[in-house]
Amino acid sequence: MKTKSASNWSAAQSEEHYGFKRWGANHFSVDTEGFVQVQPLADGRSIRVMDVVDEAVGMGLKAPIVIRFQDKLRHRVVQLNEVFAKAIKEEGYKGEYRGVFPIKVNQLREVVDEIVAAGKDYNYGLEAGSKPELMIALAMHEGAQRLIICNGYKDHDYIRLALLGRKLGKKIIIVVEQLSEVDSIIQIAKETGVKPLIGFRVKLQTRGEGKWSSSSGDNAKFGLNTAEILFAVEKLKAAKMQQCLKLVHFHIGSQVPNIITIKAAVTEAARFYCQLAKMGFPMGYLDVGGGLGIDYDGSRTNFESSMNYSLEEYARDIIFNVREICTAAAVPVPDIVTESGRAVAAPHSMLVVEVFERINKRESLGKQHQPKAKHKVVTDLEVLLKNKARLGRLERFHDALQKKEEAFSLFNLGYLDLENRAAAEQIFWQICEQIDKEGTKKGYQPEELHDLKKLLADQYVCNFSVFQSLLDSWALKQLFPVTPLHRLAEKPSVNAILVDITCDSDGKIGSFIDLQDTKDYLTLHPLNNKPYYLGIYLTGAYQDIMGDLHNLFGRVNEVHVFLEDDEPNGYYIEEALAGSRVADVIEGVQYQWEELCRRVKQQIDHATKKDLIKPREGVRLVEFYESQMLAKTYLNIEPKSGKKKP
Ligand SMILES: *Cc1c(COP(=O)(O)O)cnc(C)c1O
């Protein structure tokens, strides 16, 4: 279908511009009408994301909304297991692959359910990092072959729970993170008469790379150093529990961008494994932890938001290196455990936000405010604006900066009125824009001029909270792909950063994926009085649970989508979870909503008695306050009236 827009721009150009093919890994594309399509199984079946958004809005679930594509979760579990099976076959490896999903990455029941179901044919297990997570794992885990790996700090009850799992015949392995845990395990095993399966987490010298590199090395929080391993070994021997030691574990941090790091860590850990096997411990498993990355920017590099390896390479490198080392040491190869969380969960969900306001420095400043008597500093700036040919770009920029500073000083000293100050600011931004426009396609840019684009970028205000829905963007400056969900057959023309609705100047996204390094703005479409939706992708790992209640916005709406061939759109919404209401979030901070209503009613009654409010209005105000208790916490954006605001 031809598009109506006069520009010579196509949906395919948008697909390229936003990098769908690079970070989307066969799962995202743009159709010819300019809508984002998702292919959860990468099998040709496709869902238009805007259809899901429209349907959700019809159900009363407006943006911000999380969409989970459950088939995609299944797809990732199958992919991970198949890739390892293939590597094992190709390398003639004698062991098996026994992956586990770390629950901490996304604890939502529907997510864990889907993963457990998808992993059935592969004996894919679960990993717990805390007592509450172990409680989930014990209940959700199925079968006698699938592993449960117990990591994290452990009190006695944690260990008792794990031994309960042993009694039920589960392959549940307690990974020792601290030397003191060995004593506890020995003591409780004696008390209960249950034989535990034990693993050692080793503190590797191999350092991770990227944002999470402090998970290994001498100062890492977890793991046993070499001396401690020897102590632990002695303790097990003294307790006659040699037969319990089964596993060597390491975890060098999340989102490891460089395959070289992984190779080195696997090599080091495999040596530990062989040493312990040679000391006569039965062993059987090597657990390589998490760290398998997601290529958030699609650049295939060792940049922290990317990864320079494929899933296939990851699997082959682990299998190959372990086999080489075990063969050389004449030790039978172990079964391989991975605890990949991010790589399994991140792709399945996305966040949809609505842009409802554009803040533009030049437009809002001074347009209608021609000063009655122009100050010299304003006319100086006008001269700079008009005589653009006379000076070089950098020189003009510096002159304009100087004049702007001069205007501010004059204002502070009382020599410049509001209208002149507004005019000075406005002309300054016009000059900046002019300089920036001249700069396109001229190769090298001095840094100051390069940064102009960032300075000139508009702010698109979006109805969401970074602190609730995208915490790692704020806390770790992690990048996520962001694109419009529609209008992609139109040429995007506005450079913008995204700001959220929290009262926090940090509540924004000002850094975006790019093939080289990062971009300081995203090019979007001008707003047109109709809803404008953006998708933020690959948000299924960690973001849901790390989010907090900053400004009491709370949970967003959520829908779970499944592919369905018999449905007109090829999908159906299985589950719809409504986001927080005002009453929910304020109860979370110890207020009782009835009490608040009572207090406000009292004040309204009082004001009515004093004749400040008419009785009928008083009744209406009480009703309004009470009804807002049940309203959603995010902005209730009402359709624009069509007319442009002056
Ligand atoms: C967090 C964590 C994981 C998951 O890491 P990803 O990088 O998300 O795969 C695995 N194992 C342990 C011990 C962890 O702490």
Side-chain angles (χ1 to χ4, degrees):
M1 198 177 114
K2 278 274 183 305
T3 57
K4 273 172 269 152
S5 77
S7 67
N8 52 349
W9 186 264
S10 68
Q13 276 167 291
S14 285
E15 196 173 75
E16 172 61 25
H17 176 79
Y18 294 107
F20 281 94
K21 285 270 145 61
R22 289 188 294 272
W23 53 262
N26 303 327
H27 291 285
F28 288 97
S29 58
V30 180
D31 63 30
T32 50
E33 292 170 56
F35 291 93
V36 173
Q37 295 269 356
V38 54
Q39 295 85 35
L41 295 176
D43 65 350
R45 282 187 295 169
S46 202
I47 299 170
R48 193 182 263 191
V49 179
M50 275 307 294
D51 287 348
V52 181
V53 174
D54 290 341
E55 190 174 335
V57 169
M59 298 162 82
L61 303 177
K62 293 189 187 176
I65 184 165
V66 164
I67 305 178
R68 296 189 195 286
F69 296 102
Q70 295 288 99
D71 300 277
K72 203 155 174 206
L73 206 46
R74 180 171 283 273
H75 183 72
R76 284 301 281 178
V77 172
V78 171
Q79 211 176 12
L80 178 68
N81 280 283
E82 292 286 346
V83 163
F84 266 96
K86 186 158 172 268
I88 282 173
K89 194 157 168 242
E90 283 175 4
E91 295 291 333
Y93 190 80
K94 294 285 185 320
E96 290 183 42
Y97 172 66
R98 285 291 156 84
V100 292
F101 175 72
I103 294 179
K104 76 156 189 246
V105 177
N106 198 318
Q107 298 96 336
L108 190 74
R109 180 177 53 79
E110 288 88 340
V111 170
V112 173
D113 248 350
E114 194 71 40
I115 288 172
V116 170
K120 187 165 192 290
D121 295 339
Y122 303 101
N123 285 322
Y124 189 65
L126 294 169
E127 184 261 7
S130 67
K131 211 162 30 178
E133 287 178 0
L134 179 55
M135 298 284 282
I136 294 175
L138 277 172
M140 302 300 287
H141 172 269
E142 295 166 359
Q145 288 308 311
R146 302 163 84 164
L147 296 177
I148 298 180
I149 303 282
C150 300
N151 290 322
Y153 286 104
K154 301 166 194 75
D155 62 9
H156 285 193
D157 287 338
Y158 185 127
I159 295 166
R160 285 190 188 103
L161 280 169
L163 295 185
L164 183 160
R166 279 298 288 152
K167 277 202 169 156
L168 300 178
K170 294 183 188 295
K171 278 221 167 83
I172 181 163
I173 303 180
I174 306 173
V175 177
V176 173
E177 313 247 19
Q178 315 285 324
L179 195 52
S180 63
E181 288 174 8
V182 180
D183 300 320
S184 309
I185 294 169
I186 291 171
Q187 182 197 326
I188 295 165
K190 293 239 158 87
E191 270 171 34
T192 55
V194 181
K195 269 221 159 70
L197 303 177
I198 297 175
F200 286 164
R201 175 164 179 170
V202 296
K203 220 177 238 181
L204 297 185
Q205 276 307 305
T206 309
R207 286 295 294 260
E209 234 183 272
K211 290 185 189 297
W212 288 267
S213 59
S214 61
S215 308
S216 62
D218 290 331
N219 291 326
K221 217 168 104 180
F222 291 118
L224 307 176
N225 63 30
T226 322
E228 288 171 327
I229 285 180
L230 292 174
F231 280 127
V233 156
E234 290 308 318
K235 285 176 195 276
L236 288 185
K237 277 188 183 157
K240 302 218 168 1
M241 283 172 61
Q242 291 98 311
Q243 292 310 307
C244 298
L245 185 61
K246 294 281 185 188
L247 175 143
V248 165
H249 170 277
F250 72 89
H251 174 67
I252 51 169
S254 204
Q255 184 65 19
V256 176
N258 196 342
I259 189 72
I260 302 292
T261 316
I262 290 166
K263 285 177 199 265
V266 167
T267 303
E268 191 182 345
R271 298 259 181 237
F272 273 101
Y273 180 90
C274 290
Q275 292 276 333
L276 288 167
K278 286 191 149 175
M279 290 165 84
F281 293 98
M283 306 311 288
Y285 299 97
L286 179 63
D287 181 346
V288 302
L292 176 58
I294 284 281
D295 196 358
Y296 290 97
D297 67 12
S299 67
R300 276 250 170 281
T301 59
N302 63 352
F303 181 60
E304 59 192 16
S305 289
S306 185
M307 55 198 276
N308 67 359
Y309 54 94
S310 64
L311 179 54
E312 286 77 7
E313 189 177 351
Y314 176 78
R316 261 199 313 272
D317 275 352
I318 291 171
I319 299 293
F320 175 83
N321 282 295
V322 173
R323 191 199 57 201
E324 288 292 287
I325 287 162
C326 290
T327 308
V331 167
V333 295
D335 288 345
I336 299 293
V337 181
T338 69
E339 303 173 347
S340 306
R342 180 186 300 277
V344 168
H348 89 280
S349 86
M350 63 183 290
L351 176 72
V352 176
V353 301
E354 182 176 354
V355 183
F356 65 97
E357 191 80 62
R358 171 180 174 185
I359 301 176
N360 174 297
K361 298 187 186 79
R362 285 87 70 204
E363 275 181 9
S364 58
L365 285 169
K367 224 169 207 170
Q368 279 89 12
H369 300 285
Q370 277 299 327
K372 281 172 215 86
K374 270 186 209 167
H375 191 282
K376 180 164 182 307
V377 75
V378 174
T379 46
D380 284 352
L381 277 161
E382 282 177 345
V383 169
L384 266 177
L385 182 66
K386 282 188 192 119
N387 298 350
K388 60 176 175 180
R390 279 219 351 259
L391 302 172
R393 294 169 61 223
L394 197 54
E395 187 170 353
R396 258 154 60 217
F397 179 59
H398 290 151
D399 288 357
L401 262 184
Q402 184 198 1
K403 286 291 162 195
K404 186 183 75 159
E405 293 304 322
E406 193 181 317
F408 288 164
S409 306
L410 287 165
F411 179 80
N412 288 345
L413 294 170
Y415 295 121
L416 200 68
D417 61 18
L418 268 183
E419 285 176 343
N420 272 291
R421 176 174 162 148
E425 285 183 39
Q426 194 224 352
I427 300 167
F428 170 77
W429 288 115
Q430 280 181 344
I431 295 170
C432 289
E433 205 161 37
Q434 188 186 61
I435 294 171
D436 178 55
K437 283 213 176 99
E438 289 165 33
T440 44
K441 294 189 206 122
K442 272 201 187 147
Y444 172 76
Q445 293 258 346
E447 191 160 342
E448 282 169 293
L449 296 185
H450 181 81
D451 288 350
L452 257 185
K453 279 224 184 312
K454 183 175 170 185
L455 215 58
L456 286 166
D458 287 355
Q459 293 180 337
Y460 270 34
V461 191
C462 306
N463 191 12
F464 84 119
S465 158
V466 164
F467 304 94
Q468 172 65 46
S469 298
L470 218 56
L471 194 80
D472 283 344
S473 164
W474 171 75
L476 296 159
K477 306 283 165 260
Q478 197 198 312
L479 302 181
F480 295 90
V482 185
T483 80
L485 290 177
H486 51 147
R487 295 177 64 189
L488 289 161
E490 286 171 48
K491 185 170 183 170
S493 57
V494 181
N495 294 337
I497 67 160
L498 309 181
V499 300
D500 76 2
I501 56 170
T502 63
C503 304
D504 197 313
S505 45
D506 266 2
K508 63 180 178 195
I509 308 176
S511 193
F512 301 91
I513 61 165
D514 199 10
L515 272 185
Q516 259 117 44
D517 216 343
T518 61
K519 262 197 303 212
D520 297 324
Y521 52 84
L522 193 64
T523 311
L524 296 170
H525 301 93
L527 301 186
N528 63 3
N529 285 327
K530 290 191 191 131
Y532 186 55
Y533 290 107
L534 303 178
I536 304 173
Y537 305 84
L538 309 177
T539 58
Y542 300 106
Q543 306 316 300
D544 295 313
I545 209 69
M546 304 273 281
D548 63 35
L549 273 172
H550 193 16
N551 271 148
L552 297 185
F553 282 115
R555 288 192 67 87
V556 303
N557 293 321
E558 185 170 321
V559 291
H560 302 169
V561 172
F562 283 86
L563 281 166
E564 174 63 87
D565 292 331
D566 298 336
E567 294 287 324
N569 293 321
Y571 75 88
Y572 65 99
I573 293 179
E574 196 210 42
E575 185 113 40
L577 311 178
S580 303
R581 293 174 187 276
V582 174
D584 303 331
V585 293
I586 65 178
E587 298 232 321
V589 282
Q590 294 281 58
Y591 300 93
Q592 288 180 331
W593 66 268
E594 296 96 333
E595 167 74 4
L596 297 193
C597 287
R598 195 182 57 72
R599 283 178 175 230
V600 168
K601 182 170 182 303
Q602 235 171 28
Q603 294 176 59
I604 290 173
D605 287 347
H606 194 66
T608 313
K609 278 203 192 97
K610 281 181 139 176
D611 221 16
L612 297 170
I613 295 178
K614 296 250 159 10
R616 273 180 60 185
E617 195 188 1
V619 172
R620 209 171 45 75
L621 291 177
V622 170
E623 279 173 8
F624 173 66
Y625 182 84
E626 286 176 355
S627 71
Q628 283 300 302
M629 278 294 172
L630 296 178
K632 296 279 174 59
T633 50
Y634 290 88
L635 301 195
N636 179 22
I637 297 168
E638 295 175 33
K640 294 234 167 75
S641 60
K643 252 189 270 167
K644 264 206 162 156
K645 287 213 187 91

